[in-house]
């Protein structure tokens, strides 16, 4: 999800930053940051919840998406396509998903042309809604790369002067998650209006984390503990970030970046 989507659904999803590693080849996603000749890092927002729940927090009890009418995330609208994969390789995404465990028995992804939605033809996304969602997701990644991810990557490069050390902290398959604090501090320092928006977001996220952790404590499951620990760490980091943003002097958006951030997050 984008930070903008997480702002919109702040009471539903706990947002965090996901750091991942990808090969630096022709198929690397365009928002990835090159680390060395062979590797690149992806820096994106992610919604995190307890794996033991096995369901998205927006999934209603009737089995439908509770956000359907009020703007579900573009990544969900794009499913089963993957906006992070080039259009010419989407057929491989569909083939893989049609055989994946989560899709077994659904038979909703089939080669050829049938009655119903046609997603791809000759390496092009032909379904208009899916294509628009894929484009919006890619656009969001490129905007947020500029607004906060690029400065986080610069900070990582300073902290890990040796790219091998930076790679060593990232799992080969999956993500390393950290609190969304670097994104919020980077954006919140751009103007007072953005600082207020980030503080409101932090307050909502802290309340949501407290609710989720309280429910986990009641479930008494051992396998919930690592996530509880992670969420408590996020909550502490967010409280410090909120205090930092509240102490900043008043300032208006003068830089181009600040104006872009206000247009992206406050519109
Ligand atoms: S479409 Fe599914 S995964 Fe996406 S927000 Fe709705 S319930 Fe969650």
């Amino acid at each position: 999800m984008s930070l903008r989507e997480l702002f919109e659904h702040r009471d539903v999803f706990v947002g965090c930053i996901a750091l991942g590693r990808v090969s630096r080849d022709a198929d690397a996603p365009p928002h990835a940051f090159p680390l060395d000749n062979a590797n690149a890092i992806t820096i994106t927002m992610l919604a995190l919840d307890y794996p033991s729940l096995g369901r998205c927090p927006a999934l209603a009890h009737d089995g439908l998406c509770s956000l359907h009418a009020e703007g579900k995330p573009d990544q969900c609208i794009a499913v089963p396509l993957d906006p992070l994969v080039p259009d010419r390789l989407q057929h491989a995404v569909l083939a893989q998903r049609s055989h994946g465990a989560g899709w077994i028995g659904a038979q909703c992804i089939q080669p050829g042309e049938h009655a119903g939605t046609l997603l791809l033809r000759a390496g092009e996304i032909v379904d208009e809604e899916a294509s628009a969602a894929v484009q919006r997701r890619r656009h969001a990644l490129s905007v947020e790369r500029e607004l906060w991810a690029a400065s986080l990557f610069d900070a990582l490069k300073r902290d890990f002067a040796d790219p091998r050390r930076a790679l060593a902290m990232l799992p080969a398959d999956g993500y390393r998650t950290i609190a969304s604090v670097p994104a919020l501090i980077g954006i919140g320092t751009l103007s007072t209006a953005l600082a207020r928006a980030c503080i409101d977001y932090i307050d909502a996220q802290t309340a949501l984390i407290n609710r989720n952790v309280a429910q986990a404590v009641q479930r008494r499951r051992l396998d919930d503990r690592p996530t509880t620990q992670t969420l408590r760490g996020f909550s502490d980091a967010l409280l410090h970030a909120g205090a930092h943003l509240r102490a900043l002097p008043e300032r208006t958006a003068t830089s181009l970046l600040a104006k872009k951030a206000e247009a992206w997050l406050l519109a």
Side-chain angles (χ1 to χ4, degrees):
M1 291 175 70
S2 65
L3 184 61
R4 182 158 83 164
E5 290 171 329
L6 287 165
F7 265 44
E8 195 181 337
H9 303 302
R10 62 189 64 188
D11 300 315
V12 180
F13 300 107
V14 175
C16 64
I17 293 174
L19 306 170
R21 57 196 282 186
V22 290
S23 298
R24 195 178 164 193
D25 55 25
D27 299 331
H31 66 285
F33 296 92
L35 193 65
D36 59 22
N37 287 338
N39 301 285
I41 288 187
T42 56
I43 304 177
T44 55
M45 298 303 298
L46 184 81
L48 183 84
D49 206 351
Y50 284 90
S52 69
L53 295 175
R55 58 189 282 135
C56 169
L59 190 64
H61 291 295
D62 58 6
L64 300 176
C65 174
S66 62
L67 305 179
H68 189 76
E70 49 187 288
K72 63 181 171 188
D74 283 326
Q75 189 84 20
C76 300
I77 300 173
V79 164
L81 302 174
D82 183 349
L84 304 190
V85 172
D87 287 4
R88 64 188 162 76
L89 297 178
Q90 292 291 342
H91 67 280
V93 173
L94 295 187
Q96 193 183 27
R97 286 194 162 150
S98 68
H99 294 110
W103 302 77
I104 284 178
Q107 299 197 334
C108 53
I109 303 176
Q110 298 196 358
E113 295 199 16
H114 311 272
T117 305
L118 180 67
L119 279 174
L120 290 175
R121 185 188 283 128
E124 268 186 47
I125 302 173
V126 291
D127 178 74
E128 282 181 19
E129 191 188 12
S131 174
V134 165
Q135 298 311 327
R136 283 196 304 273
R137 178 76 184 118
R138 289 175 182 163
H139 176 65
L141 285 165
S142 113
V143 171
E144 298 201 355
R145 188 183 202 273
E146 185 182 359
L147 292 186
W148 63 268
S151 55
L152 177 54
F153 179 66
D154 288 343
L156 283 172
K157 268 202 310 195
R158 279 196 302 277
D159 289 352
F160 294 96
D162 180 351
R164 280 170 306 181
R165 285 189 53 223
L167 283 174
M169 72 163 191
L170 302 176
D173 184 16
Y175 301 101
R176 182 186 177 112
T177 55
I178 59 173
S180 44
V181 167
L184 298 172
I185 294 282
I187 287 171
T189 48
L190 292 171
S191 76
T192 298
L194 286 163
R196 287 197 188 116
C198 289
I199 290 166
D200 288 348
Y201 176 74
I202 286 170
D203 290 347
Q205 287 281 281
T206 308
L208 175 62
I209 289 173
N210 288 343
R211 285 198 298 276
N212 289 356
V213 167
Q215 286 166 7
V217 169
Q218 284 195 337
R219 283 195 299 273
R220 294 169 168 264
R221 287 181 60 128
L222 271 181
D223 55 349
D224 278 342
R225 285 190 182 172
T227 307
T228 295
Q229 207 174 1
T230 300
L231 290 178
R232 284 186 170 139
F234 287 177
S235 180
D236 287 348
L238 287 168
L239 283 173
H240 282 105
H244 175 82
L245 291 172
R246 283 186 170 90
L248 291 175
E250 294 270 321
R251 66 231 167 277
T252 50
T254 48
S255 69
L256 194 59
L257 192 67
K259 287 178 183 159
K260 259 190 189 178
E262 288 197 350
W264 183 246
L265 290 170
L266 307 184

